[in-house]
Amino acid sequence: MGGRPRRAFRGVVLATVAVSLFVSLVPTHARAACDKPVYLTLDTGHMGVAPLIADVLKRQHVLVTFFAANEKTQEGDGSLGDHWAGWWKARAAEGHAFASHTFDHVYWRADLAGDAASSGFRVRPSAGPQAGKEFKMTARQYCDEIARSETRLKEITGQAPLPLFRAPGGKTSPKLLETARRCGYAHVGWSPAGFLGDELPSERYSNAALLRQALERVKPGDILLAHLGIWSRKDPWAPAVLEPLIEGLKGKGFCFRTLKDHPDYKAWISSHSRP
């Protein structure tokens, strides 16, 4: 064999090795075809399990959408405070998506009389300086409350959050949803089978039962909901359920995507994203 064919052969081998190495470095979630997607979403909480959850997601190559409020935490100055800023920045670098959960975790209680543009709501935050108090909030103030979380997330991560929000507890009204959409935010709830049960009392709903139920009921296209720590649950959900759930769903052919790819929100995100 002459020198030129030998050099050409070596070039082909080197190119093949380079391509193989590149493919091996690309996370599975970024290169695999996905015809059974599910959308795991995580709301803030006391953050006690946040490091564990981050490790599981990284190990499993799973991207999620975080809905963030500045809630009271076991450690630090609130879930969107300076103590946790580095944690959020690291999740952004990994490719996760973010959206608002209102800043003070403000629960909707009732609509006030009038149309969506001119009236407002009775609300009760569970965090912040007015935690536990019920008061009136105008439509504009409610929009500002959603935007406060968005602004803080962008400040921490350097990444523009999605133009989406989740009302605490999923409590809304048609009027509240219209108000938010006027301000550029679409609401995201969760699928019936996507309620993963980490808020339920562990004395009545064991982790094993919740895992079994999710693996039996979750369907393609479902939006799943869990939290970064629930104060009231004595036997924490995430350490026992999160990784087995991800592995079990993967074993059934499911794949994980952020809400950027959800067919119900892609057009809204495209037309309402902010720089």
Side-chain angles (χ1 to χ4, degrees), residues 20 23 44 103 124 133 150 153 159 169 184 189 198 207 210 224 229 261 264 274:
S20 299
V23 171
T44 39
F103 192 80
R124 186 173 67 192
K133 299 177 183 178
E150 179 184 56
L153 282 166
Q159 174 179 311
D198 64 337
N207 286 324
L210 292 174
L224 314 183
D261 296 323
D264 290 350
R274 291 169 278 277

Side-chain angles (χ1 to χ4, degrees):
M1 183 180 289
R4 184 172 298 174
R6 190 176 293 115
R7 287 195 298 271
F9 176 75
R10 285 200 300 268
V12 170
V13 171
L14 290 172
T16 301
V17 170
V19 170
S20 299
L21 179 60
F22 172 77
V23 171
S24 69
L25 292 174
V26 176
T28 302
H29 64 73
R31 66 175 186 263
C34 185
D35 57 4
K36 292 177 66 177
V38 289
Y39 305 87
L40 178 57
T41 66
L42 295 169
D43 293 358
T44 39
H46 61 54
M47 302 297 283
V49 294
L52 177 145
I53 287 175
D55 288 345
V56 170
L57 297 178
K58 188 173 183 179
R59 183 164 55 246
Q60 291 292 332
H61 301 297
V62 165
L63 296 181
V64 306
T65 305
F66 291 99
F67 286 91
N70 190 37
E71 298 188 64
K72 179 183 175 183
T73 52
Q74 290 181 345
E75 181 182 9
D77 52 346
S79 48
L80 288 177
D82 291 341
H83 179 86
W84 288 99
W87 189 91
W88 291 107
K89 189 172 183 178
R91 305 292 77 75
E94 291 165 357
H96 298 282
F98 307 91
S100 177
H101 196 31
T102 73
F103 192 80
D104 284 338
H105 204 248
V106 176
Y107 283 90
W108 171 87
R109 302 287 287 169
D111 293 339
L112 300 178
D115 61 31
S118 61
S119 63
F121 315 98
R122 293 197 66 82
V123 300
R124 186 173 67 192
S126 67
Q130 300 191 77
K133 299 177 183 178
E134 189 164 312
F135 56 90
K136 296 178 181 179
M137 184 175 276
T138 66
R140 181 68 261 171
Q141 287 172 328
Y142 190 81
C143 288
D144 290 344
E145 177 66 21
I146 300 174
R148 287 176 69 201
S149 176
E150 179 184 56
T151 298
R152 178 57 176 161
L153 282 166
K154 185 175 181 181
E155 177 182 86
I156 293 171
T157 66
Q159 174 179 311
L162 302 177
L164 307 173
F165 86 108
R166 173 172 286 155
K171 298 182 183 299
T172 66
S173 68
K175 182 176 174 180
L176 182 129
L177 298 182
E178 181 185 349
T179 293
R181 289 178 75 88
R182 284 173 179 266
C183 299
Y185 300 98
H187 185 259
V188 179
W190 52 88
S191 306
F195 177 72
L196 298 176
D198 64 337
E199 297 174 276
L200 299 173
S202 52
E203 300 89 337
R204 295 172 54 197
Y205 301 91
S206 71
N207 286 324
L210 292 174
L211 174 61
R212 182 171 60 251
Q213 176 178 286
L215 290 174
E216 290 173 353
R217 298 182 183 180
V218 168
K219 306 181 299 300
D222 278 353
I223 296 174
L224 314 183
L225 165 69
H227 299 78
L228 299 175
I230 295 294
W231 291 96
S232 59
R233 188 171 176 87
K234 295 179 181 178
D235 186 10
W237 176 91
V241 179
L242 180 60
E243 194 152 26
L245 174 62
I246 290 172
E247 292 176 337
L249 290 175
K250 284 182 176 180
K252 297 178 73 172
F254 288 92
C255 45
F256 291 82
R257 295 292 183 264
T258 72
L259 290 173
K260 293 178 183 178
D261 296 323
H262 196 290
D264 290 350
Y265 299 104
K266 284 181 74 172
W268 176 273
I269 292 170
S270 177
S271 62
H272 290 81
S273 291
R274 291 169 278 277

